[in-house]
Amino acid sequence: MLSQTAELKKESLNSYFHNVSLEASNEVSITNQKKRVKSIAKGKTAKNAVNKFLKTGIISWVILFIAWELASRAMSPEFLPGPIATFKGLKELALAGTLWADIKISMIRVGIGWGRALLIAIPLGLLIGRFKVVKSIVEPLINFFRFIPAIGFLTLFLMWFGVGEESKLVLITYAAVFPIIINTIAGVASIDPVKYQAAQSLGANSIYTFFTVTVPGAIPNILTGVRLGLSSAIISIVAAEMLAASEGLGYLIFTSRLYYRTDWIFAGIIVLGIIGFLADKLIRFLAFKLFKFYGVAKQ
Amino acid sequence: MSNNNNIIENDVKNNTNQNSNKNVIEVRNLGKKFDVENKGLLFSKNINPDAVFSDNHDGFVLKDVNLDIKEGEFHIFLGASGCGKSTLLNIIAGFLNPTEGSITCEGNPIVKPGPERGVVFQNADQAIFPWLTVYKNVEYGLKAQGIKKAERKPIVENALKLVGLQDHAKKHPSELSGGMKQRVQIARSIASNPKILIMDEPFGALDAQTRRTLQDEFIEIWKKTGKTILFVTHDLQEAVYLGQKISIFSASPDARIITQVDVPFDYPRNLDDPVISEFERKVHEKLEEAINIHKDKNIDKSALSA
Ligand SMILES: Nc1ncnc2c1ncn2[C@@H]1O[C@H](COP(=O)(O)OP(=O)(O)OP(=O)(O)O)[C@@H](O)[C@H]1O
Ligand SMILES: [Mg+2]
């Protein structure tokens, strides 16, 4: 008797559990499902295409070019050259060959100045972030000087470092160093203290911990600093080539005013913008490839 | 205190691991209070906190804590939230210093963290290194201690096998589940061959199913390695399921270990076993008692002053 009721109970309990078979119950529903899946997929690919197109940023550029051309026509083209005039100016410079020389020399200056900034700022930022003594000595100075724009030092740098390359490089480095330091410090501060505790409990001393926890842990923020530093370096090239230069994009932008070639000024500005844009893309691409597991976000 | 010790006066012979009588950790009359942080002031660590702090009550989180942890023992800290379990554990790990009293590991005073006291943190995401592969995470301590590469390899491989991650050695933590990350942490600590493994609610952040799996796996790991375990939990069932000895804390302030319970059952334990449920109920009573002792004290005080 008892066992029977138990059996019954078991069976009735079983009715609450349903196996889900791998195949759908009938053909009709399958074809219906397939149709639905297809139409959803269609809608999705269309949506994806629109999204992709929006992501390229082409729309903003088209709007900008139209507005720019209209504005230029409303005013005198010498006062504000439109995109077509600018493109013509650019072509002129490219054909004359000076544009490539200017790009090359400016990029070398930016590259060296920015590279030096990286070499100074990343180790310094890491040390400031990790060691209180370094922080208490260096940080007040940084917080003072970072508010003084590079251009403020232009004349002094020329006096101190001469009219050659060095003064220009120093200026670019000066401009690029602060965003890198500040972001590196922030990167060190963002590291979870539990990671240090774990490292210590595993027998790591403070030097080992510095290289295996502090450095890798700060990398995502360091890369932000690296990118901001590059934009500062590119921005400062105009100032660096303003005085005592005979070539470079900054020189081009600054001296074109003497010939009333506002289209050349625009050409120079646009080339700088494009170079910065591409360099930033490249850094982000490489950063993601190299440091994916350090927490660097993809684009 | 001694009258609380006789819940079940058992012989520990039943247990899988034969505990020696050697103490790995000894805590004597330990007290801890948190003083004002001296952030920003350089070299000011030695300011006497009593001089800075002159409150009415003494502000001790832990007071008069005495504890022995025997070699090979699976020791549990059980107590209400905020009673100071993590604080005592952090002192044993060397992350915090006691305000008074003494604490030793194998006779040596504990002053800072060290590889002989491995730590498994509650949150694996905070504790493991996301930029290193599973293999390199486990290898970290050995490398930090300067052990040669050829010697590291078999140790790491064994540790990975112990936690069942041998097929995931090349993955990064972001490619692992929560339970797997916690296994990485356990393997990483064990690879350094610590005397004692200190764990603060290591399975607390996992879902119930994964927690149960890891508990079972961990019992096996403990049996195989024979490590001394110090395991903090506020889950009574977990305590009874895992522990050989349960230290129950009274409530903070002035918390101390007020009761110790020997758990006399073999592993694996079946919590549905009526004997074990009954035992669990008794431990629960003791826990309630421990929490309420303090309340009674407060009531007494207010009654006196009224
Ligand atoms: N750094 C600190 N500074 C000041 N007070 C602290 C600090 N850390 C912990 N405390 C206090 O010490 C007491 C014990 O905290 P602890 O974290 O050790 O409790 P716990 O038993 O681990 O609790 P839980 O079960 O919730 O983890 C609490 O009252 C807490 O407020
Ligand atoms: Mg805690």
Side-chain angles (χ1 to χ4, degrees), chain A residues 66-82:
Chain A
I66 292 172
W68 180 11
E69 187 64 40
L70 290 178
S72 157
R73 286 185 191 186
M75 297 176 221
S76 85
E78 237 141 74
F79 183 69
L80 175 65

Coordinates of all heavy atoms in Angstrom, one line a residue, chain A residues 66-82:
Chain A
I66 N 29.9 71.0 -45.9 CA 28.9 71.8 -46.5 C 28.8 73.1 -45.8 O 28.8 74.2 -46.4 CB 27.5 71.0 -46.5 CG1 27.6 69.8 -47.4 CG2 26.4 72.0 -46.9 CD1 26.4 68.9 -47.3
A67 N 28.7 73.1 -44.5 CA 28.6 74.3 -43.7 C 29.8 75.2 -43.9 O 29.7 76.5 -44.1 CB 28.5 74.0 -42.2
W68 N 31.0 74.6 -44.0 CA 32.2 75.3 -44.2 C 32.2 76.0 -45.6 O 32.5 77.2 -45.7 CB 33.4 74.3 -44.1 CG 34.8 74.8 -44.3 CD1 35.2 76.1 -44.4 CD2 35.9 74.0 -44.5 NE1 36.5 76.2 -44.6 CE2 37.0 74.9 -44.6 CE3 36.2 72.6 -44.5 CZ2 38.3 74.5 -44.8 CZ3 37.5 72.2 -44.7 CH2 38.6 73.2 -44.8
E69 N 31.8 75.3 -46.6 CA 31.8 75.8 -48.0 C 30.8 77.0 -48.0 O 31.1 78.0 -48.6 CB 31.4 74.7 -49.0 CG 31.5 75.1 -50.5 CD 32.9 75.5 -50.9 OE1 33.8 74.8 -50.5 OE2 33.0 76.5 -51.7
L70 N 29.6 76.8 -47.4 CA 28.6 77.8 -47.4 C 29.1 79.1 -46.7 O 29.0 80.2 -47.2 CB 27.3 77.3 -46.7 CG 26.5 76.3 -47.5 CD1 25.3 75.8 -46.7 CD2 26.1 76.8 -48.9
A71 N 29.8 78.9 -45.6 CA 30.3 80.0 -44.8 C 31.3 80.7 -45.6 O 31.4 82.0 -45.6 CB 30.9 79.5 -43.5
S72 N 32.2 80.0 -46.3 CA 33.2 80.6 -47.1 C 32.7 81.5 -48.2 O 33.2 82.5 -48.5 CB 34.1 79.5 -47.7 OG 34.8 79.9 -48.8
R73 N 31.6 80.9 -48.8 CA 31.0 81.7 -49.9 C 30.3 83.0 -49.4 O 30.2 84.0 -50.0 CB 30.0 80.8 -50.7 CG 30.7 79.8 -51.5 CD 29.9 79.0 -52.4 NE 30.8 78.0 -52.9 CZ 30.4 77.1 -53.9 NH1 29.2 77.2 -54.3 NH2 31.2 76.2 -54.3
A74 N 29.8 82.9 -48.2 CA 29.1 84.0 -47.6 C 30.1 85.1 -47.3 O 29.8 86.3 -47.3 CB 28.4 83.6 -46.3
M75 N 31.3 84.7 -46.9 CA 32.4 85.7 -46.6 C 33.3 85.7 -47.8 O 33.1 85.0 -48.8 CB 33.1 85.3 -45.4 CG 32.3 85.3 -44.2 SD 33.2 84.8 -42.7 CE 32.0 83.8 -41.9
S76 N 34.4 86.5 -47.7 CA 35.4 86.4 -48.8 C 36.2 85.2 -48.7 O 36.6 84.8 -47.5 CB 36.2 87.7 -48.8 OG 37.3 87.5 -48.0
P77 N 36.6 84.5 -49.8 CA 37.4 83.3 -49.7 C 38.8 83.5 -49.1 O 39.4 82.6 -48.6 CB 37.5 82.8 -51.1 CG 37.0 84.0 -52.0 CD 36.2 84.9 -51.1
E78 N 39.3 84.8 -49.2 CA 40.6 85.0 -48.6 C 40.5 85.0 -47.0 O 41.4 84.6 -46.3 CB 41.1 86.4 -49.0 CG 42.4 86.3 -49.7 CD 42.5 87.2 -50.9 OE1 42.6 88.5 -50.7 OE2 42.4 86.7 -52.1
F79 N 39.3 85.5 -46.6 CA 39.1 85.6 -45.2 C 38.8 84.2 -44.6 O 39.4 83.8 -43.6 CB 37.9 86.5 -44.9 CG 37.6 86.7 -43.5 CD1 38.4 87.5 -42.7 CD2 36.4 86.2 -42.9 CE1 38.1 87.7 -41.3 CE2 36.1 86.4 -41.6 CZ 37.0 87.1 -40.8
L80 N 38.1 83.4 -45.3 CA 37.8 82.0 -44.9 C 37.7 81.1 -46.1 O 36.7 81.0 -46.8 CB 36.4 82.0 -44.2 CG 36.0 80.6 -43.8 CD1 36.9 79.9 -42.8 CD2 34.5 80.6 -43.2
P81 N 38.8 80.5 -46.5 CA 38.8 79.6 -47.7 C 38.0 78.4 -47.4 O 38.1 77.8 -46.3 CB 40.3 79.2 -47.9 CG 41.0 79.5 -46.6 CD 40.2 80.5 -45.9
G82 N 37.2 78.0 -48.4 CA 36.3 76.8 -48.2 C 37.1 75.6 -48.5 O 38.3 75.6 -48.7

